[in-house]
Amino acid sequence: MKRARILHGGTAVWAELVGDGGALRLPGGATVDAAMAQWLPPVTPGATIFALGLNYADHNKELGFQSKEPPLIFLKGPNTLTGHEGTTPRPVDGNQMHPECELVAVIGKPARKVSAERALDHVAGYTIACDYAIREYLENYYRPNARVKNRDRTTPLGPWIVDAADIPDPQALALRTTVNGQVVQDGSTADMVMSVAELIAYLSSTMTLMPGDLILTGTPQGVHFCAAGDRVVCEIEGIGALANHLVAEATA
């Protein structure tokens, strides 16, 4: 099953995709045309958003880093998110802004000190993030600052959450990013330094993960600088395709 969060009648609601995804079933049973939907990030308000840096071996090699543990983890605020087919402002001085396709694990039940062997039992489903980075603002790869990873609407999320039961192995998924139809990232979740299960075990060793919490699990190799007007699409096997439109940031 795929669950999306959309704006309907001025209210945010959760809806289920019907059949081939051409329609969305609202609470109460009514359906709406998916092509007309205003997509919101599929996240529970108040959820904690964890993000990973340098968690793909091929991307680390591309940047000249050695893969290492423990992982580089940082938090993201809710205003960083935008939905499927949304717009993301590209700063005037952000000439080195590039997309990062990421598998996102959505926690389904509380996790505290769980083992890696049982960690996936706590996952409700998976979605996609495009976690843009702006290299001009990067002070230190090991400490991504707020200007790099917490700018408004710079993390498209969605389009929906796919049930964990429909993704039997989160470490065997192809990822791809295109910019205006050109492939700029082409990788696999098999290349993660720490798997989804290992990340959940690591995080839950120090804090309780709650239903709705998100874990952005890092990105594969492929750095491509984008410009205002670009259409960016991040795809993950078994989940779908998340589209985003870059626009020039307002200067006033």
Side-chain angles (χ1 to χ4, degrees), residues 50-87:
F50 301 92
L52 269 288
L54 305 178
N55 194 42
Y56 274 73
D58 60 353
H59 187 45
N60 292 347
K61 182 178 180 180
E62 175 183 39
L63 298 175
F65 288 102
Q66 295 292 323
S67 298
K68 60 175 60 180
E69 299 179 22
L72 167 62
I73 297 174
F74 53 97
L75 301 181
K76 298 181 73 70
N79 288 340
T80 63
L81 303 180
T82 188
H84 175 54
E85 294 290 1
T87 59

Side-chain angles (χ1 to χ4, degrees), residues 24-244:
L24 292 159
R25 182 178 293 116
L26 302 172
T31 60
V32 297
D33 185 349
M36 303 300 293
Q38 182 175 343
W39 304 88
L40 299 174
V43 59
T44 302
T48 302
I49 306 169
F50 301 92
L52 269 288
L54 305 178
N55 194 42
Y56 274 73
D58 60 353
H59 187 45
N60 292 347
K61 182 178 180 180
E62 175 183 39
L63 298 175
F65 288 102
Q66 295 292 323
S67 298
K68 60 175 60 180
E69 299 179 22
L72 167 62
I73 297 174
F74 53 97
L75 301 181
K76 298 181 73 70
N79 288 340
T80 63
L81 303 180
T82 188
H84 175 54
E85 294 290 1
T87 59
T88 290
R90 177 188 178 278
V92 174
D93 58 349
N95 296 316
Q96 298 182 37
M97 181 174 178
H98 59 92
E100 297 182 345
C101 181
E102 306 202 18
L103 176 69
V104 181
V106 184
I107 299 298
K109 60 182 180 180
R112 173 66 173 163
K113 294 186 182 299
V114 301
S115 66
E117 291 72 23
R118 299 298 303 272
L120 295 185
D121 295 340
H122 295 261
V123 176
Y126 300 92
T127 188
I128 305 169
C130 176
D131 193 15
Y132 286 104
I134 306 170
R135 291 199 173 193
E136 283 96 340
Y137 303 158
L138 191 60
E139 296 174 358
N140 186 317
Y141 275 108
Y142 295 102
R143 293 185 303 169
N145 60 36
R147 295 182 74 205
V148 177
K149 290 294 187 178
N150 270 283
R151 297 180 70 89
D152 289 352
R153 307 201 317 275
T154 54
T155 307
L157 186 76
W160 41 66
I161 296 172
V162 175
D163 282 354
D166 296 326
I167 306 293
D169 185 359
Q171 304 309 138
L173 305 176
L175 302 87
R176 188 174 77 155
T177 301
T178 61
V179 178
N180 303 325
Q182 174 190 351
V183 176
V184 299
Q185 282 188 298
D186 190 3
S188 170
T189 57
D191 201 45
M192 285 185 190
V193 177
M194 291 187 71
S195 68
V196 174
E198 290 169 335
L199 290 170
I200 292 171
Y202 177 81
L203 289 167
S204 72
S205 69
T206 56
M207 65 180 293
T208 302
L209 304 180
M210 296 300 294
D213 286 353
L214 305 178
I215 304 175
L216 282 64
T217 58
T219 196
Q221 69 179 350
V223 174
H224 177 89
F225 301 144
C226 295
D230 284 349
R231 173 179 167 84
V232 178
V233 179
C234 292
E235 302 177 58
I236 299 182
E237 180 182 3
I239 300 178
L242 168 68
N244 177 253

